[in-house]
Amino acid sequence: MNLTPLPAFQDNYLWLLDDGNRALVVDPGDARPVQAALQSAGLQLEAILVTHHHPDHIGGVDALRDATGAKVWGPARETIPEPVTRLAEGDRIEVLGLPFTVIDVPGHTSGHIAYYCDLFDGRPLLFCGDTLFSGGCGRLFEGTPAQMLASLDKLAALPADTRVVCTHEYTLSNLKFALAVEPHNAELIHYSERCTELRAQDRPTLPSSIGQELRINPFLRTREAGIRQAAQAFNGTDPADDVAVFAAVREWKNTFR
Ligand code: ZN
Ligand code: FE
């Protein structure tokens, strides 16, 4: 099985997963790079998995469905180009012979879902859309901090070796902020150096893993004493209030340059 990031727009990745003959694509915001990849590798597109309704995630859905007849799966509670088979928490689907379980992760949008496969080349795999990024998380366009914290808690509870397949290459700017929050996190300093090297060679920093993110991502670490204190120093938030600390760190990131 191959898992390939197709760069699109400024910083999106359209993830293609294939077995040499058949393929699935996640969040195809643009049909063209997907069609080019299918043609050059001689792949048949069987399925399109959509995590949420933003244009950079669904812009290519109609063109790809029309061109290939691929089946489209998407969130139960969002507006996605029809026909789409709608999914919510706990639903199980099989694509390319792989079993995926759906996880509701509201926050970035109110109906955002993630796709989790516990059996992919010996390690679990998570397609998390714009919910979890390496070193960061999605902006709260529709959901509340409490919803996003609960969503990230669900993802954080997945096995540490789960590959985290995110849809944007935001890692370096996320890590710049993460270092402002936790300047003494040695693992974060090391990871940041590695990612800087990868980007200098124009290579993706993704996929990450749940274990890696637990060590470096401030949005999965808001219960750490150092981050509670940093949030309090930022805007006087109550360091004992989990949701308030998460909200403060999210707000801090929104204004960080
Ligand atoms: Zn989005
Ligand atoms: Fe996006």
Side-chain angles (χ1 to χ4, degrees), residues 160-220:
D161 63 347
T162 303
R163 289 181 190 76
V164 176
V165 184
C166 327
T167 40
H168 288 273
E169 180 62 69
Y170 288 158
T171 309
L172 290 190
S173 65
N174 286 339
L175 294 178
K176 198 173 146 209
F177 172 72
L179 284 164
V181 178
E182 287 193 287
H184 306 299
N185 179 337
E187 183 84 28
L188 172 59
I189 294 165
H190 176 73
Y191 181 67
S192 178
E193 287 166 359
R194 239 172 57 213
C195 290
T196 302
E197 272 171 42
L198 286 171
R199 294 308 295 147
Q201 299 162 21
D202 206 28
R203 290 162 64 191
T205 60
L206 303 169
S208 182
S209 71
I210 291 292
Q212 181 68 65
E213 295 308 309
L214 286 170
R215 293 189 292 272
I216 61 97
N217 189 323
F219 296 96
L220 297 188

Side-chain angles (χ1 to χ4, degrees), residues 227-240:
I227 295 194
R228 290 184 189 274
Q229 285 158 16
Q232 185 181 30
F234 169 67
N235 68 359
T237 201
D238 174 2

Side-chain angles (χ1 to χ4, degrees), residues 43-204:
L43 300 168
Q44 172 66 37
L45 188 66
E46 295 238 319
I48 299 171
L49 307 185
V50 175
T51 64
H52 69 293
H53 69 84
H54 284 157
D56 62 315
H57 298 252
I58 63 168
V61 167
D62 281 336
L64 285 172
R65 187 203 292 106
D66 291 351
T68 65
K71 182 176 169 74
V72 183
W73 309 87
R77 284 176 289 276
E78 299 203 345
T79 306
I80 306 293
E82 299 280 353
V84 54
T85 301
R86 296 181 172 279
L87 301 167
E89 178 81 23
D91 283 344
R92 297 175 66 88
I93 60 171
E94 198 176 294
V95 185
L96 307 186
L98 298 170
F100 286 91
T101 303
V102 175
I103 307 173
D104 280 341
V105 285
H108 176 67
T109 62
S110 58
H112 199 305
I113 61 172
Y115 297 85
Y116 175 73
C117 174
D118 61 4
L119 271 177
F120 173 78
D121 278 358
R123 279 172 65 191
L125 173 73
L126 173 72
F127 291 122
C128 55
D130 286 355
T131 297
L132 177 61
F133 297 122
S134 187
C137 75
R139 280 180 187 257
L140 304 184
F141 286 118
E142 298 172 9
T144 64
Q147 279 179 321
M148 188 58 137
L149 180 59
S151 295
L152 292 175
D153 283 344
K154 285 197 223 174
L155 301 186
L158 296 173
D161 63 347
T162 303
R163 289 181 190 76
V164 176
V165 184
C166 327
T167 40
H168 288 273
E169 180 62 69
Y170 288 158
T171 309
L172 290 190
S173 65
N174 286 339
L175 294 178
K176 198 173 146 209
F177 172 72
L179 284 164
V181 178
E182 287 193 287
H184 306 299
N185 179 337
E187 183 84 28
L188 172 59
I189 294 165
H190 176 73
Y191 181 67
S192 178
E193 287 166 359
R194 239 172 57 213
C195 290
T196 302
E197 272 171 42
L198 286 171
R199 294 308 295 147
Q201 299 162 21
D202 206 28
R203 290 162 64 191

